[in-house]
Amino acid sequence: MSGHVAAIFRHPVKGFTPEALDAVQLAPGEGFPFDRLWAVENGPSGFDPAAPAFVPKQKFTVLAQIAKVAAARTRYDEATDVLRVTGPDGREFAARMGDPAACDAFAAWLTELLGEDVRGKLKVLKAPAEHRFTDHPLGQVSIVNLASVRDLGQRMGVELDPLRFRANLYVEGWPAWAENDWAGKPLMVGWARAQVFKPIVRCAATHVDPTSAERDLDVCKALFDNYGNLFCGIYIRVTSAGAVGLGDAVTAPSLEPQPEAVA
């Protein structure tokens, strides 16, 4: 059973705008390229770049806490190291992310935008080495099955935007919710080999419309009421490097017992 890669996204700044890609190179232990490479601390988080460790998302400016984050449209250019931001009023801002003063200016711009939702001094943090500001310490690459999103939307009586789930890869062609049973199974993703880690447990970030920046749907309640869990999507661990492009096959694991080899 195979699906195919229908969309590829990175999120350079945790919580902010997804950026569409045509292809990406995945490798073991390296995280998704330019994904969650920065995060904006909302008051002291305790993160130490000299000894990077997992920090809960509640310490950052994320959609689960602040819906208005979606109103800031961001776009990162790795060639110039410049993050461009457009606010809901059309005002634009640009910051070279390697420049501490520019990052402080970006934090000040965000402080004005987010207003009373800011609970402490905002500070832009960069992840060192292979660290990423992911929602799970071992959840480096995420995949969402578009059939699952459609099934949930049909049960809710709405058309759900898959971008609510902020995945790296969106796959078409798998049966709805088949991925929930794949933990520990091997997976071929384009030319990369991977192992399914676990289903993704969803939070209030999915309640925010990524276009309007309004908290308009209780997706978590709908998941639990209809399926008895909060799962939508899977985390994978890359085990062998390879390229992944739009249209590439994503081969689902065989769940049938394999015949023993004949001596």
Side-chain angles (χ1 to χ4, degrees):
M1 178 174 60
S2 291
H4 68 270
V5 177
I8 306 172
F9 285 91
R10 69 183 187 184
H11 311 74
V13 183
K14 183 177 180 66
F16 290 83
T17 309
E19 299 180 1
L21 304 171
D22 292 328
V24 69
Q25 186 77 26
L26 299 181
E30 293 188 3
F32 196 90
F34 291 99
D35 186 67
R36 279 91 172 180
L37 194 56
W38 291 275
V40 181
E41 188 180 57
N42 191 5
S45 68
F47 180 76
D48 181 0
F54 174 73
V55 175
K57 60 189 167 190
Q58 291 82 1
K59 300 289 186 178
F60 304 117
T61 55
V62 292
L63 294 174
Q65 303 289 320
I66 308 172
K68 199 182 296 182
V69 165
R73 307 296 178 181
T74 58
R75 183 72 187 178
Y76 177 68
D77 180 359
E78 63 266 32
T80 61
D81 190 38
V82 170
L83 181 77
R84 301 189 184 280
V85 192
T86 304
D89 58 359
R91 287 189 305 139
E92 295 186 349
F93 179 87
R96 192 175 300 277
M97 299 303 281
D99 179 354
C103 287
D104 288 345
F106 175 42
W109 187 93
L110 281 176
T111 300
E112 182 179 350
L113 172 67
L114 301 180
E116 62 184 17
D117 290 320
V118 174
R119 62 169 180 262
K121 183 179 180 181
L122 298 189
K123 182 180 179 181
V124 178
L125 303 178
K126 182 175 181 180
E130 286 79 30
H131 186 80
R132 293 290 187 275
F133 293 109
T134 51
D135 284 354
H136 190 285
L138 299 177
Q140 294 293 301
V141 179
S142 58
I143 299 179
V144 159
N145 179 359
L146 289 172
S148 300
V149 175
R150 284 193 295 270
D151 184 71
L152 175 60
Q154 288 167 5
R155 291 169 186 252
M156 295 175 69
V158 299
E159 185 174 345
L160 280 179
D161 186 341
L163 294 185
R164 286 179 184 261
F165 299 94
R166 302 184 63 77
N168 298 128
L169 305 174
Y170 292 87
V171 172
E172 195 68 89
W174 291 344
W177 308 112
E179 67 277 12
N180 285 353
D181 298 321
W182 294 348
K185 300 293 183 180
L187 197 67
M188 195 75 185
V189 184
W191 296 96
R193 294 184 182 276
Q195 183 182 55
V196 179
F197 173 41
K198 66 185 290 294
I200 300 173
V201 177
R202 291 301 170 177
C203 70
T206 59
H207 300 180
V208 179
D209 185 312
T211 301
S212 69
E214 297 291 332
R215 200 176 299 279
D216 61 347
L217 295 173
D218 194 335
V219 173
C220 289
K221 182 177 186 301
L223 282 168
F224 190 81
D225 287 351
N226 285 284
Y227 311 107
N229 59 57
L230 297 178
F231 301 157
C232 188
I234 51 176
Y235 287 125
I236 64 170
R237 297 168 171 165
V238 178
T239 56
S240 180
V244 182
L246 295 176
D248 282 356
V250 186
T251 306
S254 171
L255 301 181
E256 299 297 326
Q258 298 300 306
E260 294 183 6
V262 178

